[in-house]
Amino acid sequence: MTGCRTRSMSCIGQLWSYETPKVIVVKNRRLGTIYRLLQLLIIVYFVWYVFVVQKGYQAQETGPESAVITKVKGVSTSKGPRGIKKIWDVAEYVKPPEGGSVFTIITRIESTKLQTMGTCPESRTVPNALCVSDEDCNRGEMHILGNGEQTGRCIIAGRGSLRTCEIFAWCPLEDETAISESLQDYVQNFTILIKNNIHFPQFGFSKGNIEDQGFLRNCTYHPVLSPSCPIFTVGFIVSEAGANFTELAKKGGIIGVIINWNCNLDLHPSKCRPEYSFRRLDLQNKISSGYNYRFAKYYNNNGTETRTLIKVYGIRIDVIVHGQAGKFSLIPTIINLATALTSIGVGSVLCDWILLTFMNKDHTYSLRKFDEVWKLEDGTTTAVTTVSSLQESSCIPGSPCTFDEPVYKDKGPAMEFTIIQDRLGQEHRDGILPPPGS
């Protein structure tokens, strides 16, 4: 019972202990070289990467407020039915015409003219459209991939004996009479003006990509010769995005114009300039490739509502703006400096592990590394007892020790402590220290 109580008191006593590092100078060239190399690597990392590359002394803001205005210039032609030539200007081939950050330049159309509301055979490409008799067609049924509402009749579809269900829809259907027209001959020479203004609210900084209006009259963007010009040709954008223009004009596609603002506000505002890059955004696969959409033009033909259905293939341009700005701030500077100074201590931890794991074969270092210190009071005298690990002491717990054998002897430049076993025995008897082996 007494032993259990003693152990409990010993465990409780550990709660009020305090640990402090003990400085030991180890004269080992290999370990010293490793330690200095680790310190050098940590210093280089913080100086070069954190402060120079990442600008750790600056407050950062990402995602600027942005406004984009676009204008397309150019004229193209196409050949319609019977070789009739048609002129296409900006009002016709740019959709939508507002000049926003997302717009489409039409490169090819398929038009179905003179469509009116009436009955006609369903397209043979629609699932379950083929029939043999009227019993195969359900009146009022509409297929999600179909073109209209079934009337319940099975009729001949075009030439031959193939029969499909009759539908009530805009007739004739698109697949039967569509006429294709291409504008691609001149589209590569079209120019696109991109006006972009950004604002970083945290720093109250605003900037635009157009600084000199007179410069716009005769400039075209080039990454080396004219990197500040915001006027791009369609052919250049397609080429930089790694796309084939002929294929893109035929099937359509989506290209992103990425504008990146990386501004160091510690420098002059003129140093804050946008960088442009181009990338094709739509995935190219056999199942669904390209970009197209449909719209219709309605008119009245002799009192009958008539429309022209137009399927458009084009190059969709998405202008995407990214950016970040940085400016000197005391708070991140102090935080990163404190982190750097703290990280230098990592070298000591690693070297301690190497020292005690790989270089401590005879426990030479561990005996000096870890000590326990008690403050003893006997009357008016205060003594400090330093007890090393059991491996350093010749006393075995539970066995008597000679009175003239020192338990620990540590010599320093200013003091020397020699604690004799009879003093320890006296303290054990007085109950100040726990008995050996407890």
Side-chain angles (χ1 to χ4, degrees):
M1 187 69 180
T2 304
C4 293
R5 184 181 302 171
T6 303
R7 284 193 294 270
S8 299
M9 295 298 293
S10 177
C11 292
I12 295 175
Q14 294 294 329
L15 296 176
W16 315 114
S17 62
Y18 166 71
E19 295 181 359
T20 183
K22 179 180 180 181
V23 178
I24 300 177
V25 179
V26 180
K27 300 295 184 178
N28 187 291
R29 181 172 297 179
R30 286 183 299 174
L31 189 62
T33 302
I34 294 174
Y35 179 59
R36 298 306 177 190
L37 285 176
L38 288 173
Q39 285 185 323
L40 180 62
L41 288 175
I42 293 172
I43 292 173
V44 170
Y45 168 77
F46 276 94
V47 171
W48 177 76
Y49 182 76
V50 175
F51 286 97
V52 176
V53 177
Q54 296 295 325
K55 295 181 174 60
Y57 57 89
Q58 291 183 334
Q60 299 287 333
E61 182 181 6
T62 58
E65 299 171 354
S66 174
V68 175
I69 300 175
T70 57
K71 291 184 178 181
V72 183
K73 297 291 185 181
V75 179
S76 185
T77 63
S78 68
K79 290 184 179 181
R82 302 175 184 177
I84 299 176
K85 181 180 291 187
K86 179 182 177 180
I87 300 296
W88 293 76
D89 59 11
V90 176
E92 290 190 286
Y93 64 72
V94 175
K95 303 292 180 181
E98 289 83 1
S101 60
V102 179
F103 61 94
T104 300
I105 298 176
I106 298 174
T107 57
R108 187 170 71 91
I109 66 170
E110 293 179 354
S111 58
T112 304
K113 300 181 179 181
L114 300 175
Q115 281 190 325
T116 58
M117 294 298 298
T119 58
C120 53
E122 177 64 282
S123 172
R124 65 194 70 182
T125 60
V126 176
N128 301 325
L130 298 178
C131 61
V132 177
S133 64
D134 293 346
E135 296 179 355
D136 298 327
C137 303
N138 300 320
R139 182 181 178 86
E141 182 178 309
M142 289 190 294
H143 195 278
I144 190 171
L145 299 178
N147 295 285
E149 180 183 14
Q150 293 185 9
T151 63
R153 296 177 57 200
C154 181
I155 60 176
I156 297 176
R159 299 177 181 178
S161 59
L162 190 65
R163 301 167 69 91
T164 61
C165 293
E166 184 184 57
I167 59 172
F168 178 74
W170 286 97
C171 300
L173 299 182
E174 176 185 22
D175 297 337
E176 305 296 333
T177 59
I179 301 173
S180 178
E181 298 180 59
S182 176
L183 292 72
Q184 72 178 56
D185 292 342
Y186 298 93
V187 173
Q188 293 189 73
N189 299 324
F190 290 176
T191 60
I192 304 173
L193 168 64
I194 301 177
K195 299 171 64 177
N196 178 219
N197 297 310
I198 53 103
H199 176 68
F200 291 98
Q202 179 178 338
F203 304 115
F205 177 80
S206 299
K207 188 72 185 294
N209 65 336
I210 298 178
E211 298 180 358
D212 184 6
Q213 293 287 346
F215 178 64
L216 298 178
R217 297 178 181 177
N218 300 311
C219 81
T220 302
Y221 175 83
H222 189 277
V224 178
L225 302 178
S226 186
S228 300
C229 182
I231 299 178
F232 309 85
T233 62
V234 174
F236 176 82
I237 293 176
V238 173
S239 175
E240 289 294 306
N244 181 277
F245 180 81
T246 302
E247 178 186 356
L248 200 67
K250 182 179 180 181
K251 296 183 178 181
I254 305 174
I255 293 181
V257 178
I258 295 93
I259 305 177
N260 186 40
W261 295 82
N262 190 3
C263 299
N264 184 355
L265 301 185
D266 293 329
L267 305 178
H268 193 272
S270 62
K271 301 296 182 180
C272 178
R273 297 175 180 175
E275 296 179 354
Y276 302 94
S277 59
F278 313 90
R279 185 165 62 89
R280 184 164 183 177
L281 302 179
D282 60 310
L283 297 177
Q284 303 178 56
N285 52 62
K286 296 180 180 180
I287 299 176
S288 177
S289 62
Y291 173 75
N292 62 78
Y293 63 93
R294 293 174 175 83
F295 70 94
K297 294 182 178 180
Y298 295 86
Y299 55 94
N300 189 291
N301 183 19
N302 297 325
T304 303
E305 185 181 18
T306 309
R307 77 174 189 180
T308 298
L309 178 64
I310 301 174
K311 183 177 182 180
V312 170
Y313 296 85
I315 302 173
R316 197 181 90 178
I317 304 294
D318 288 17
V319 181
I320 304 170
V321 181
H322 299 297
Q324 64 177 5
K327 192 174 185 179
F328 174 78
S329 178
L330 192 60
I331 294 177
T333 303
I334 293 175
I335 292 175
N336 285 310
L337 281 175
T339 305
L341 295 176
T342 305
S343 300
I344 294 177
V346 175
S348 300
V349 175
L350 182 59
C351 288
D352 281 349
W353 177 75
I354 295 174
L355 179 68
L356 298 175
T357 304
F358 302 103
M359 304 174 64
N360 194 33
K361 295 182 179 180
D362 55 355
H363 303 284
T364 302
Y365 300 112
S366 60
L367 294 178
R368 294 290 182 180
K369 178 68 176 174
F370 305 105
D371 288 337
E372 293 182 2
V373 179
W374 288 277
K375 183 177 181 180
L376 308 177
E377 296 182 0
D378 51 348
T380 59
T381 305
T382 301
V384 178
T385 304
T386 305
V387 180
S388 182
S389 61
L390 293 176
Q391 293 172 333
E392 185 176 357
S393 175
S394 60
C395 293
I396 301 175
S399 63
C401 295
T402 58
F403 287 98
D404 57 350
E405 183 180 7
V407 176
Y408 179 80
K409 186 175 182 181
D410 189 6
K411 294 183 178 181
M415 63 181 65
E416 177 178 342
F417 293 108
T418 304
I419 308 301
I420 308 301
Q421 181 61 33
D422 57 351
R423 168 61 66 88
L424 287 176
Q426 180 66 34
E427 303 301 337
H428 289 314
R429 289 191 293 273
D430 294 342
I432 298 176
L433 292 178
S438 61

